[in-house]
Amino acid sequence: MNKNFLITGAANGIGLGYTRRALQGGGRVAMADIDKEEGARQVTQLGEEFGSRRVCFVHLDVRNEEMWRNAWDEAETFFDGPVEVLMNNAGVSGCDWRVVVDINLGGLITGTMLAMEKMAVSKGGKGGIVIQTGSLASLLSSGFTTIQEHVYTASKWAILGWTRSQANHDIWWKMPSFPPTPQEEVKVMTVCPWVANTNIVETVVSTMAEEDKWKLNTWLHKPIPTDEVAAAAEELILRGKSGDAITVGPGIMYFYPDVQTQLFLMYKIIHSILVTTGIVNRKQAVTIFQIWMTAIIILFLMGYFFHLILTFL
C-alpha cells in the first residue's frame, strides 16, 4: 500500500475508509471530493494523525473532465511523482436518475479513461491500478422497488461488466487499436461491498418503509464498517488481477467468480441437445426452466455413470 493514491468521494464513507487504509499502509493520498468544507476538515484531521506531507485535498466534481485533469495534476504535484492507484469511489443514490448516471457511471468512466491516458505504458506511463467501487447491486438486482431507483443498479452492473472486460485479454488493457498495442500494465478491478455505513445507505434507509427495515438486521443487509470495505480493496491491490472483483459483507470477503462465459457455453450445449433430440422446435425459444431441468438430468446421468464405473473398479 506504499503508493500514491487519488481517491474520489474521499471526504466521507467508503472513500474516507480507503484514505485511512492507504495512509495506515504507508501510502500518500490526494483526497478528491465535491464537498470542499468536509474535505478540508478531514484532510486537516488526517494530516495531524499521519503527517501533512502524506495527504492533501483536491476539489473535484467527477462529471467535469477539466476538473478531473486539474485534480490529477494537483495530485502529482503534491506527490512529486505519478498517481499509481486511482480509486473511483464517488457515487450517489436517491436523487434524480440522470445525476446517478452522470456521477456513478459517467464520472467513473471519465476518470478511468484519464487514468489510462496517464498510466498506460504506450502513452509513456509506468502502469498502475484502477479500483472501481461497485455494490451489492453489481451482483443482485432486487435491492430497490422503483424503476428510477434501479438506475443505481444499472450503473453498478455496468461498472462490474466493464471491469470484467479488462480480464479478457492476454494483456491487462490496451488503448483502442488494431492490431493490439503493447502491454499497458494497468489493472482494473472492482470491490463490491454489500451494505456499508455510508451516506448512500443512510439515504436509502430514510426512504424505506417501516415494515421493510427489518432487513437491516439480516445477514445480507446488515451494514458493515467502511474499514472492512477498505480491507477488501487492499486485497485487490495486493493480490488481484485485472478484471477481478471482490465482494465483502458481514464477516465475509471473497473474490467473486466470473462465470458468464461458462454459463453461456453451457446454455448453448443444452439448447443444441434439446433441439437435436426434437424436444424443442428450432424456431422456439428454450425456456430457463427447460435449460435447468436438462442440466439437472445431465448431472444426474453423469453421477450415475461415474457410480457404475466405480462399482466395477
Side-chain angles (χ1 to χ4, degrees):
M1 294 290 282
N2 185 17
K3 297 180 181 295
N4 296 332
F5 291 78
L6 174 57
I7 302 175
T8 70
N12 57 68
I14 292 174
L16 185 57
Y18 287 163
T19 299
R20 181 168 288 278
R21 190 82 179 191
L23 292 170
Q24 290 171 342
R28 295 187 294 173
V29 180
M31 301 174 65
D33 205 286
I34 196 172
D35 189 340
K36 284 184 177 181
E37 183 176 340
E38 186 62 18
R41 189 176 74 83
Q42 292 294 346
V43 81
T44 299
Q45 291 182 357
L46 292 168
E48 292 173 354
E49 183 176 352
F50 295 100
S52 59
R53 294 185 178 181
R54 293 184 54 203
V55 59
C56 72
F57 176 76
V58 294
H59 186 224
L60 173 63
D61 181 340
V62 296
R63 295 169 291 183
N64 187 309
E65 184 174 353
E66 183 178 354
M67 291 185 72
W68 260 110
R69 293 187 176 278
N70 291 339
W72 197 285
D73 291 342
E74 288 179 43
E76 293 195 329
T77 298
F78 176 75
F79 299 142
D80 192 25
V83 173
E84 297 170 297
V85 181
L86 169 64
M87 304 189 81
N88 270 319
N89 172 70
V92 294
S93 179
C95 55
D96 186 272
W97 65 266
R98 297 172 184 83
V99 177
V100 174
V101 172
D102 289 344
I103 293 177
N104 293 11
L105 195 53
L108 177 140
I109 291 174
T110 301
T112 301
M113 297 309 289
L114 178 61
M116 296 305 175
E117 177 186 320
K118 298 288 188 178
M119 294 175 172
V121 171
S122 67
K123 297 292 184 178
K126 298 180 180 180
I129 295 171
V130 178
I131 300 292
Q132 321 286 32
T133 299
S135 166
L136 182 63
S138 300
L139 312 176
L140 305 174
S141 59
S142 56
F144 299 101
T145 56
T146 69
I147 190 169
Q148 289 83 6
E149 290 175 321
H150 272 296
V151 171
Y152 177 85
T153 305
S155 70
K156 293 301 182 178
W157 274 60
I159 290 169
L160 182 58
W162 197 32
T163 298
R164 292 303 197 193
S165 73
Q166 305 312 303
N168 298 330
H169 307 292
D170 293 332
I171 58 180
W172 288 342
W173 205 91
K174 40 189 175 291
M175 303 301 286
S177 66
F178 188 84
T181 59
Q183 184 171 343
E184 301 295 8
E185 298 187 14
V186 180
K187 293 195 292 186
V188 182
M189 300 171 287
T190 293
V191 57
C192 298
W194 291 10
V195 180
N197 289 315
T198 65
N199 291 342
I200 287 179
V201 170
E202 290 179 4
T203 299
V204 172
V205 170
S206 68
T207 60
M208 288 177 67
E210 287 298 325
E211 59 267 25
D212 291 332
K213 290 187 177 180
W214 61 270
K215 296 178 182 179
L216 298 175
N217 295 317
T218 64
W219 64 271
L220 183 62
H221 295 98
K222 183 179 180 181
I224 62 173
T226 57
D227 60 350
E228 294 186 21
V229 184
E234 183 177 12
E235 282 289 300
L236 281 177
I237 292 170
L238 297 177
R239 300 199 295 134
K241 302 184 298 296
S242 194
D244 276 354
I246 195 168
T247 188
V248 54
I252 295 172
M253 178 169 60
Y254 54 88
F255 282 85
Y256 195 80
D258 183 7
V259 296
Q260 293 306 311
T261 300
Q262 291 82 356
L263 285 174
F264 180 86
L265 292 174
M266 183 185 77
Y267 292 161
K268 174 64 176 68
I269 292 170
I270 290 174
H271 176 270
S272 298
I273 292 172
L274 292 173
V275 170
T276 302
T277 56
I279 297 174
V280 175
N281 188 295
R282 185 176 295 276
K283 296 182 180 181
Q284 179 184 353
V286 176
T287 67
I288 296 174
F289 176 78
Q290 289 172 319
I291 288 175
W292 280 107
M293 286 303 298
T294 305
I296 290 170
I297 292 171
I298 290 173
L299 288 174
F300 175 79
L301 291 176
M302 289 176 62
Y304 183 69
F305 176 73
F306 282 113
H307 171 73
L308 290 178
I309 292 177
L310 293 173
T311 300
F312 289 104
L313 290 180

